Amino acid sequence: MTSNAQVGSVSEARGPAPVSVLVVEDDATIRRAVQLALERYGYRVAVAADGLSGLEAFRAGAHDLLILDVMLPELDGIGLCHRIREESPVPVLMMSARGDALDVVAGLEAGADDYVIKPVDTAVMVARIRALLRRATFRPDAEEGDAAAKSGRADHILVFGDLSVDTLGMEVRRAGETVSLTPTELRLLLEFAAAPGSVLDRRRLLRDVWDYGWEGDTRVVDLCVLRLRKKIGSGRIETVRGFGYKLVRG
């Protein structure tokens, strides 16, 4: 792991308690390096050395974010991410020792929100963590939503066919049934819902949803759109070949 002393402040706090991060990594040297790097920024860090121990640690403690290595003994990072997604929408950042496309795609398909390649630069990891935590606590137009609620207006409920998006209650329903979305999936859907019928290109989505201030991997967008389609209906988000995606109005 490399470091960058210019990444923000030494303390990362959300409210009175520090942010809790669970790191699941089988390589003891890398695990310790990640732990020390994150603790320097004020995170509270728990660690596990294999997938099954990581699953137990996840279930035993309330963690704000998980960092999972792809290659783990007992239960690999992909399988662990699948198990976690069955129980929680907690933000997940995957780590891979290779820039292998299959590792990246498998992790994102399993429900991970983002990924980093080892050896990890501290600046990159902390920036990705901050972006994930911002999405997990995102509340759009809070003041406008409060005003609408007080006046009895339902402007905050957007309807697209059998899909309804409550931007105040941060709730999504399809045919009356609640749809469980991760913070990243919800943030992505809100971007589409704010501009129905308009084509949003991948780079704009990387900037506005993933909060990338640099060139990012558009596969992250494609895989998240794929997961979102499975939950809200395959025809609700259309691909506009060569341009991007758009939310179907009707």
Side-chain angles (χ1 to χ4, degrees):
M1 167 170 288
T2 59
S3 64
N4 187 324
Q6 296 181 345
V7 184
S9 64
V10 174
S11 177
E12 288 283 347
R14 190 171 65 189
V19 171
S20 175
V21 178
L22 172 63
V23 177
V24 187
E25 164 63 63
D26 63 319
D27 186 301
T29 300
I30 296 175
R31 185 171 64 246
R32 183 59 175 163
V34 171
Q35 180 180 7
L36 291 174
L38 295 183
E39 286 177 345
R40 281 197 295 270
Y41 288 95
Y43 295 102
R44 185 174 69 243
V45 183
V47 297
D50 62 73
L52 290 180
S53 297
L55 185 61
E56 291 178 2
F58 158 71
R59 289 172 171 168
H63 302 290
D64 299 294
L65 183 137
L66 310 182
I67 300 176
L68 312 179
D69 185 32
V70 171
M71 303 299 293
L72 292 170
E74 305 297 338
L75 175 66
D76 68 21
I78 308 301
L80 176 57
C81 190
H82 273 297
R83 298 278 287 273
I84 288 167
R85 278 290 170 258
E86 291 173 355
E87 303 177 23
S88 171
V90 62
V92 174
L93 181 66
M94 299 293 294
M95 287 194 300
S96 174
R98 299 169 292 159
D100 188 273
L102 293 178
D103 279 356
V104 171
V105 169
L108 296 172
E109 285 182 334
D113 297 281
D114 206 347
Y115 73 95
V116 290
I117 301 297
K118 295 188 288 188
V120 180
D121 187 293
T122 301
V124 173
M125 175 169 282
V126 171
R128 299 288 176 88
I129 288 172
R130 287 174 172 170
L132 285 172
L133 293 172
R134 280 195 294 271
R135 291 203 291 278
T137 57
F138 176 74
R139 291 293 181 273
D141 302 323
E143 293 183 3
E144 182 179 332
D146 289 343
K150 290 176 182 177
S151 66
R153 292 185 289 113
D155 297 355
H156 58 282
I157 299 179
L158 309 177
V159 179
F160 309 96
D162 66 349
L163 185 73
S164 66
V165 181
D166 183 345
T167 62
L168 182 59
M170 303 296 280
E171 184 177 56
V172 177
R173 290 181 175 271
R174 182 184 178 195
E177 298 293 325
T178 299
V179 179
S180 178
L181 300 178
T182 68
T184 301
E185 292 164 352
L186 178 58
R187 185 71 182 85
L188 180 62
L189 178 57
L190 289 170
E191 283 295 316
F192 284 120
S198 298
V199 178
L200 307 184
D201 67 70
R202 293 171 176 83
R203 296 197 183 283
R204 170 180 168 177
L205 292 171
L206 276 174
R207 182 194 68 214
D208 294 345
V209 177
W210 278 263
D211 200 16
Y212 280 4
W214 57 88
E215 291 296 313
D217 186 347
T218 57
R219 286 176 298 184
V220 175
V221 177
D222 295 336
L223 270 296
C224 193
V225 168
L226 180 63
R227 294 203 316 260
L228 186 58
R229 279 173 169 160
K230 291 178 180 179
K231 295 182 178 183
I232 67 171
S234 58
R236 184 57 54 194
I237 298 175
E238 287 186 354
T239 300
V240 181
R241 197 170 299 278
F243 292 95
Y245 301 99
K246 69 177 180 179
L247 182 69
V248 177
R249 292 175 181 272

